[in-house]
Every structure is written in C-alpha cells, then in structure tokens.
C-alpha cells in the first residue's frame, strides 16, 4: 500500500522535475568561489541559492542569467564576480555581503543580522527551560527561588538536570523529536493489522542515546537495543508475536539482525522494513538516513555530492539521464551500502525465520560500492562511521535541539552561537545533555532583543 | 451576558486572546532564514513573514504539555479534571492536540508539529481555560470557603466581595497561572470590571479566565 502511494507520488515528482533542476555543478562552482559562505555549510549549496522553486529563478539567479553570456558552467565564475556589488533582491545589502554574512542574496527577507544585540534574561530562560525540558510551567515559588539564589545560573542548571532526566523529556519530548526520523504508522507497527516491524525499539533506542549524557554518535553505531525499562539488551531479540497470515498479518517483530552488522537507528528492523520495503536498491533508506541523521534532504537538493560515472543504473530504470542524475548521482551510491540488508521479503524461509532487516551479503552485486561524502565505503558499517564523524551529523544534532526548543532555525545574527553549539560536541563526548546545558546559556535561547 | 463580561475583563487586562490571535500568533516564530522558502515552501503566508527577529519572532510558544501542567498545578486539578470532550476524550491529548502544538504520529501520520499557533489555538486555549476555571470554581464552591483551595478569598456563593478580597483573589491567580504578582494597573482593571458580573462565582471564573488566557501563558 505504502509502496503504491510512493510510486504514484514519485511519478508526480518526476514529472515536475523534468525541467532544468539547478545543476549541482553550478552549486559546486558557487561554493568553490565562496567556501566560507553559510550557504555552503553543507559542503554544497542547495538549489535555492538561485531558484525560488525550480524552474523559476530568484532575483539572484536572474542577475546571473543577465550576466552569463554563454554556457552556464564555463561562465559562471565570471558572472558571480560581476554581480557581487549589486543588490539583486533589493534588501539593502549587496550580494557579496549577503553571501559572506550568512544571509541570502536572492531573498529579500533574509538579510545580514550583524547589528542586532540581545540581552540575556535568566528569568525568561528559566521559564523556557522548564516548559521545554520538563513540560511544566515555571511556578511562582521557583521564580522566587531563582531570584533569591546566590548563584542563579547554578540554580537553573540544577533544575535543568532534573528536567533532562524526567519522563517528560526522555519518554515524551525526545519521542516527538524522533517522529520524523522513525516515521511510525500504527497500522503496520506492533499491534497493527499488517505488522512489518516494531518501532517501539526505535523510540527507546533514540531516547536512550539522546539522554543520560550518552554519546550521540551511537545513533549511527549502537549494536544493542533498549527494553521498556530503558535497560540495554545485548544480542538479537526474538519476536513477541509469531508469524500470522490470517485476518491479521504479522511478518516481523523483535530485532533479528546480527549484532556485528548493526549501526544504530538505521539498521533496526523497522527502519529497513519501512524504508527498503521491496527495493533491490534501497534509495528510500539511504535518503531517509541522510535526511534524518545528517540533516540533508536530497529531495530538496540538499547535500548533493555527485559521484563521477554515477548513477550506473544498476536496476535498469533509465536513471542515468540528466534529469534524474542530478540527484541520483549522489543518492544511488549512498544507497548501495544498504543493499546488503533485507527489506520486506516474503519467501517462506524469510517469514519463518524472521529475516526482514537481516544481513545478506549476496543480496545484490553492488552492496560494496557505496560512496558517502565522496568517500568510498565497503559496507554500511563504514558508511555509518563516515556519517557519524561528519560535521553534517553534528550540525544536525544541534539543529534538532535548537529547533525543538525554539520552533525556528537560527537567525543570521545567531550563526556564531549555532556554530559553537555543534562545534563543542566533540569536546563533550557528544553528550546531548551537555550541549543543552550550553544552549540554555545562549542569547538565542534566553535573549531579548535590546 | 456572562460571557460578555468575561470578554470585557479580558480586554481591559490588555491581554486577551483576541489581541494575540491578531498579532502575536501571526508573527511568532517567523520562518527560518537559513533555508529560505524551502521548509515553508508550501505556505505562501509564511514566505511573506519577514525574517527580522523582532520580539514576536523571538518568543517561544508554550506548547500543550507545559500549558496543561501549568493549569493542573496552578488550579490544583488532575489531568482528568481538565477539559474532556463528551466526558471521554482529553481535550489536550486528543481533541485539540495539533492546535495546541502537539502531533500524533501513530494514528494520524503527523510526523511534525505545527511551527506556530493558528487562530484555532486561541479557540482551544479559551475552551480549556474556561473548562478548568469552571471546574475549580465548582469544586471550591462545594468545599465551602474554609475548604476551598484556589477561590478562597471570597465566598463564591455569598454576597458581593470587597475590593480587597477581589485583589487578593486576583493576586493569587496571577501567582498561580503566570508565576508573578500583578501590577497595580492590572489589579484596578479587575476591580473596575466587577460590576459586569452577576454572581461571585462568575466573577471568580472571569478573573481566572482573563489571567489564564494572558499572552504570557501562551508565549514565553
């Protein structure tokens, strides 16, 4: 059912994408010229630097068009230079200023934000902290306590520790943060009418790793699971419900994947079942892993890093043509590493032995051909190790925590704080709790504009 | 008549939902700046929202759970005693979850929550507040002034309260629902509005509602 909906949506997306999607070569040239621009933070700029929504160009894209005089790729560096002093979107800041100061040259709503000063307000920060991490409204007594405290900062951080260990944070807020990564669906999850996996494991694993000061890189490396009491389970986990093929269909459950082939959230039975489904080349699994844990959404043109001579069209769907290759020269090599893990397979043995989501080296011929961030990788273990050590992984963690708390992305004037947020992760062993303790002290969390 | 009085009181406090619906709700959490037009691409109104981090854009929406727990603690009500649709479905976890800032991923496939409140948020906040304040008033009325826990500064069933009693009650509600003391202007606005209410219970619920729907209880 899901598959059909996806196929239909896909045909639609393909129809829409038949016009010239921004060339990834063009974004690469842009970022070679402006490597320090905020627009190139994710190694390659995304299409929206020049496009309002393809195919239409935004004001900056139009300026380029007017100044290009010939072939896009050869003339682009020149054209970019020519329009640096112009203010294409008419917001009062030149294109170069916008590119260098984390704003946007083709969107008048996004201007450099250097002149904004904020003043930290601890009372407000305390209230936000209680609401966001405890799911409670700060009380009159608590705020009096804050006022009277000899060390208000310490008072707040002690309260934050309590919140970060609370059921609200661990079993509710973090679960909601995981929703768009796990993508649950009651009809096909545990207890549903056609059970293809048990995503309760996914939620628990996510919350466990994101709390308790644990190393968040385990999102892409954990070889264990977590039970209802949030204790680790080592080894494989048997399914709770046996195979059923009657009125209810139960074809999966537990965690059958061998420990040595696990890399956290992207090798749970649910993840592989729900994303790989019946595909030989699990593009959806790769794309969802890239989106959920590296913050790069290929469907929006983010994180394009084309691999030469790809896509090879391993599954013969004529995907090497340019309008598909724009994205699939990045996506297909990303997806090869997922091909050695079974999706939904319905052979008798697969069903009897609970094989969905298990490892099968010989599943395809291309399981060893993966490439992520330009780096060839032999298998998903290596893929995940490159992924979890990347800046994209850290930025995504910081972005998750930032947007969860403030319901928005950083403003341009907050770029330095945001960078400090993710850049500080390594020194704290990737503890999300430690990152939150730093975050609540920042102007973006507790500041008022002066 | 009774509702009109409450609206009037809410309006004089300068805090009502009407005003936040019009301004704050529209501007709060304006769209992100790093990915212009992409995340909000299908919402034309969002694209027009200026990205200037003005005060409204910096405010944070107090979402469903903190809002709920705040009312439970402030009015000493259990979860079940808060608003229930046809006495069965919890208003916050079920009926109004989305507009109060939550999402139901399992049954409804909502994998993301709303970025900002909508006009319907005001309706839901209003309903939950009215139900909670009325519930507390009924419980306190039954308990009598000696046993009342929140509305204890004047007798809900008796004759008109003094100004001092009204001020004491209002102060109690500010502390319980907004975690601060009221200003003198706020107190006198409340005292001035007393004539609009036909009963002590109505007045008590009116103050509770007006304080609870204050913009400070919705944005931090």
């Amino acid at each position: 059912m899901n598959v059909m909906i996806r196929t239909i949506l896909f045909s639609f997306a393909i129809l829409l994408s038949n016009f010239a999607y921004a060339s990834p070569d063009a974004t690469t040239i842009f970022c070679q010229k402006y490597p320090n621009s905020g627009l190139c933070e994710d190694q390659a700029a995304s299409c929206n630097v020049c496009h309002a929504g393809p195919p239409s160009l935004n004001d900056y894209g139009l300026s380029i068009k007017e100044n290009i005089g010939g072939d896009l790729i050869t003339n682009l560096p020149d054209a970019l230079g020519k329009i640096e002093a112009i203010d294409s979107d008419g917001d009062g800041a030149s294109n170069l200023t916008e590119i260098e100061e984390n704003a946007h040259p083709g969107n008048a709503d996004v201007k450099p934000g250097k002149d904004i000063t904020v003043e930290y307000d601890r009372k407000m920060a305390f209230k936000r902290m209680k609401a966001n991490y405890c799911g409670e409204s700060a009380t009159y007594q608590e705020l009096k306590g804050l006022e009277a405290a000899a060390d208000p900062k310490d008072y707040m951080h002690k309260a934050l520790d309590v919140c970060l260990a609370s059921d609200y944070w661990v079993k509710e807020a973090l679960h909601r943060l995981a929703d768009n990564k796990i993508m649950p669906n009651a009809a096909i999850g545990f207890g549903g009418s056609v059970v293809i996996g048990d995503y309760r494991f996914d939620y628990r694993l996510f919350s466990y790793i994101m709390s308790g000061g644990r190393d968040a890189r385990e999102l892409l490396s954990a070889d264990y699971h977590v039970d209802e009491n949030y204790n680790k389970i080592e080894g494989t986990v048997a399914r709770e419900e046996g195979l059923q093929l009657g009125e209810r269909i139960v074809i999966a459950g537990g965690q059958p994947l061998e420990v040595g082939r696990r890399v956290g959230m992207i090798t749970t039975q649910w993840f592989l079942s729900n994303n790989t489904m019946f595909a030989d080349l699990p593009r959806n699994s790769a794309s969802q892993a890239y989106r959920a844990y590296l913050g790069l959404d290929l469907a929006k043109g983010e994180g394009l890093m084309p691999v030469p001579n790809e896509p090879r069209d391993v599954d013969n769907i004529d995907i090497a043509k340019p309008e598909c290759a724009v994205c699939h020269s990045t996506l297909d090599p990303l997806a090869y590493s997922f091909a050695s893990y079974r999706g939904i397979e319905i052979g008798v043995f697969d069903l009897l032995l609970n094989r969905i989501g298990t490892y099968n080296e010989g599943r395809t011929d291309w399981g060893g051909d993966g490439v992520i961030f330009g780096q060839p990788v032999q298998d998903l273990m290596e893929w995940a190790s490159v992924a979890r050590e990347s800046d994209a992984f850290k930025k995504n963690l910081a972005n998750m925590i930032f947007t969860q708390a403030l319901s928005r992305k950083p403003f341009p004037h907050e770029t330095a704080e945001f960078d400090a947020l993710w850049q500080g992760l390594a020194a704290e062993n990737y503890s999300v709790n430690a990152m939150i303790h730093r975050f609540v002290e920042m102007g973006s969390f507790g500041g008022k504009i002066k | 008549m009774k509702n009109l009085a409450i609206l009037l009181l809410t309006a004089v406090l300068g805090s009502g939902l009407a005003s936040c619906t019009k301004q704050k709700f529209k501007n709060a959490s304006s769209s992100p700046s790093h990915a212009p037009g992409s995340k909000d691409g299908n919402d034309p109104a969002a694209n027009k929202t200026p990205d200037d981090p003005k005060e409204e854009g910096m405010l944070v929406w107090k979402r469903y759970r903190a809002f709920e727990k705040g009312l439970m603690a402030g009015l000493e009500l259990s979860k079940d005693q808060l608003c229930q649709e046809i006495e069965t479905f919890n208003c916050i976890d079920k009926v109004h979850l989305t507009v109060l800032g939550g999402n139901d991923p399992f049954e409804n496939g909502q994998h993301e929550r709303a970025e900002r409140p909508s006009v319907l948020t005001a309706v839901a906040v209003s309903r939950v507040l009215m139900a909670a304040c009325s519930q507390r008033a009924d419980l306190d009325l039954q308990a009598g002034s000696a046993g009342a826990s929140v509305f204890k500064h004047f007798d809900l069933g008796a004759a008109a309260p003094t100004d001092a009693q009204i001020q004491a009650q209002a102060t109690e509600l500010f502390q319980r629902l907004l975690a601060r003391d009221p200003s003198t202007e706020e107190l006198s606005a409340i005292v001035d509005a007393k004539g609009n209410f036909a009963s002590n219970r109505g007045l008590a619920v009116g103050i509770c509602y007006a304080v609870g729907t204050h913009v400070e209880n919705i944005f931090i």
Side-chain angles (χ1 to χ4, degrees):
Chain A
M1 156 205 73
N2 252 328
V3 180
M4 207 160 86
I5 295 173
R6 279 187 197 180
T7 314
I8 294 168
L9 285 179
F10 242 90
S11 332
F12 197 58
I14 289 164
L15 270 180
L16 287 175
S17 63
N18 257 335
F19 43 72
Y21 215 94
S23 148
D25 296 336
T27 60
T28 307
I29 292 170
F30 178 90
C31 291
Q32 278 162 359
K33 192 163 171 74
Y34 306 112
N36 298 322
S37 168
L39 295 163
C40 294
E41 283 219 320
D42 300 313
Q43 3 238 321
S46 78
C47 311
N48 72 30
V49 174
C50 300
H51 290 273
S56 61
L57 293 164
N58 62 31
D59 294 333
Y60 183 67
L62 285 172
S63 296
I64 294 179
K65 194 177 167 197
E66 283 158 17
N67 286 277
I68 197 84
D71 170 63
L72 176 67
I73 300 305
T74 23
N75 295 301
L76 187 57
D78 253 12
L80 291 175
K82 272 194 237 163
I83 61 169
E84 282 180 350
I86 302 176
D87 174 12
S88 294
D89 57 9
D91 62 0
S94 76
N95 292 339
L96 184 62
T97 311
E98 299 219 49
I99 291 165
E100 285 179 344
E101 295 182 13
N102 297 307
H104 196 294
N107 182 338
D109 286 340
V110 189
K111 308 172 216 178
K114 282 229 156 139
D115 48 344
I116 289 169
T117 39
V118 296
E119 192 166 40
Y120 190 80
D121 179 338
R122 184 158 306 278
K123 205 156 115 189
M124 183 179 80
F126 186 90
K127 288 189 191 173
R128 287 184 177 175
M129 185 279 288
K130 285 288 285 189
N132 197 55
Y133 302 109
C134 264
E136 291 171 4
S137 297
T139 66
Y140 186 74
Q141 290 72 18
E142 283 167 338
L143 293 178
K144 282 281 166 219
L146 180 70
E147 252 173 55
D151 183 349
K153 181 175 169 185
D154 180 61
Y155 180 92
M156 179 163 112
H157 286 268
K158 288 215 169 91
L160 176 57
D161 273 332
V162 175
C163 292
L164 292 178
S166 69
D167 272 5
Y168 170 73
W169 178 246
V170 178
K171 296 182 183 169
E172 181 166 352
L174 283 177
H175 283 199
R176 297 291 71 79
L177 194 55
D179 287 336
N180 66 2
K181 307 181 190 313
I182 296 171
M183 312 252 270
N185 177 341
I188 54 175
F190 183 81
S193 46
V194 183
V195 181
I196 65 163
D198 184 351
Y199 48 71
R200 294 175 304 171
F201 285 99
D202 301 62
Y203 278 101
R204 295 194 297 250
L205 185 60
F206 182 85
S207 283
Y208 182 84
I209 295 169
M210 295 287 288
S211 62
R214 296 186 184 88
D215 185 333
R217 285 173 298 181
E218 293 192 5
L219 290 172
L220 296 182
S221 74
D223 64 0
Y224 57 87
H225 276 281
V226 176
D227 68 17
E228 309 85 77
N229 302 316
Y230 282 71
N231 294 317
K232 261 190 193 182
I233 322 172
E234 310 282 354
T236 57
V237 186
R239 52 182 160 188
E240 259 171 71
E241 291 190 291
L243 177 66
Q244 291 183 42
L245 294 170
E247 205 166 300
R248 262 186 86 222
I249 296 177
V250 179
I251 57 169
Q255 293 297 341
L257 177 60
E258 63 197 89
V259 167
R261 288 291 166 185
R262 289 180 181 174
V263 279
M265 299 296 298
I266 61 174
T267 52
T268 65
Q269 187 181 53
W270 169 258
F271 186 89
L272 295 167
S273 180
N274 189 43
N275 290 299
T276 294
M277 292 217 159
F278 303 97
D280 285 338
L281 181 55
R283 295 183 175 96
N284 293 339
S285 294
S287 157
Q288 177 61 7
Y290 208 51
R291 179 188 293 126
Y293 298 102
L294 300 171
L296 300 170
D297 191 343
L298 285 170
K300 290 180 183 149
E302 295 165 2
L304 291 172
M305 301 205 62
V307 176
N309 307 318
E310 293 283 0
R312 279 145 45 197
D313 200 15
V314 291
D315 50 353
N316 304 315
I317 57 166
D318 199 12
I319 204 151
K321 47 186 182 197
E323 66 264 38
C324 314
V326 168
C327 298
H328 284 269
S329 56
T330 304
L331 177 54
D332 286 15
L334 269 181
Y336 294 147
S337 306
F338 285 85
S340 306
Y341 291 76
R342 294 182 175 94
I344 299 178
E345 292 186 10
I346 49 173
V348 177
F349 285 111
D350 298 316
L351 295 179
L352 285 174
L353 300 175
N354 193 21
R355 273 184 178 162
I356 293 179
T358 56
Y359 186 72
N360 175 13
E361 182 133 34
R363 187 170 175 269
T364 65
D365 295 335
W366 53 82
D369 299 345
V371 182
I372 174 171
F373 296 145
Q375 198 170 321
V377 288
Q378 258 178 15
D379 55 20
L380 196 59
M381 316 298 293
E382 219 185 306
W383 190 106
S385 126
V386 173
R388 67 180 178 258
E389 297 302 335
S390 68
D391 284 352
F393 179 78
K394 293 182 217 171
K395 280 179 205 170
N396 186 51
L397 275 179
N399 191 43
M400 273 158 61
I401 292 304
F402 192 104
T403 50
Q404 189 275 340
L406 303 178
S407 304
R408 61 175 176 83
K409 298 235 170 206
F411 289 118
H413 73 274
E414 295 165 333
T415 308
E417 280 189 348
F418 182 76
D419 288 346
L421 202 56
W422 66 263
Q423 284 164 357
L425 270 163
E428 293 163 341
N429 252 328
Y430 288 75
S431 155
V432 173
N433 281 9
M435 178 165 69
I436 293 171
H437 275 280
R438 284 190 289 121
F439 177 43
V440 300
E441 287 300 315
M442 289 182 170
S444 36
F445 186 87
K448 279 187 169 154
I449 292 185
K450 283 224 269 196
Chain B
M1 191 52 202
K2 192 173 81 187
N3 287 342
L4 183 65
I6 291 178
L7 283 181
L8 282 174
L9 177 52
T10 313
V12 287
L13 271 183
S15 57
L17 286 166
S19 61
C20 40
T21 328
K22 276 205 208 93
Q23 288 149 18
K24 309 275 180 187
F25 282 21
K26 228 166 54 198
N27 295 340
S29 350
S30 58
S31 60
S33 48
H34 260 297
S38 64
K39 302 270 192 292
D40 297 322
N42 39 17
D43 178 1
N47 284 342
K48 286 205 198 86
T49 314
D51 265 78
D52 284 349
K54 298 270 165 48
E55 278 147 84
E56 283 91 358
M58 301 280 282
L59 285 173
V60 173
W61 181 11
K62 194 202 266 187
R63 291 173 186 266
Y64 64 107
R65 193 62 73 216
F67 172 69
E68 173 191 53
K69 291 264 189 71
L71 291 185
M72 286 166 58
L75 297 177
E76 297 184 33
L77 294 170
S78 68
K79 190 175 174 89
D80 294 346
Q81 287 172 319
L82 289 186
C83 167
Q84 305 280 335
E85 175 102 357
I86 49 169
E87 286 164 24
T88 312
F89 302 109
N90 186 292
C91 285
I92 290 160
D93 287 351
K94 281 266 175 219
V95 188
H96 300 300
L97 179 67
T98 313
V99 296
L100 291 175
N103 63 299
D104 172 11
F106 306 113
E107 303 288 342
N108 293 336
Q110 271 182 314
H111 295 140
E112 316 251 4
R113 53 188 199 175
E115 252 182 57
R116 68 204 81 183
S118 71
V119 177
L120 291 176
T121 305
V123 177
V125 165
S126 167
R127 174 173 183 201
V128 172
L129 242 309
M130 189 52 92
C133 293
S134 304
Q135 173 79 308
R136 184 72 262 163
D138 290 343
L139 292 170
D140 282 355
L141 191 57
Q142 276 165 28
S145 30
S149 55
V150 177
F151 297 115
K152 56 192 176 194
H153 297 275
F154 52 81
D155 191 333
L156 295 184
T162 65
D163 288 359
Q165 285 174 322
I166 294 174
Q167 292 188 352
Q169 186 61 62
T171 303
E172 171 102 27
L173 286 162
F174 264 85
Q175 293 178 353
R176 285 173 169 272
L177 296 174
L178 302 180
R180 67 168 172 89
D181 292 311
S183 67
T184 25
E185 294 80 56
E186 285 166 331
L187 282 182
S188 55
I190 291 173
V191 170
D192 289 348
K194 69 180 174 189
N196 296 317
F197 293 91
S199 70
N200 280 8
R201 184 189 176 283
L203 174 59
V205 170
I207 303 173
C208 174
Y209 175 87
V211 173
T213 55
H214 197 292
V215 69
E216 285 171 34
N217 198 26
I218 301 154
F219 292 107
I220 312 174

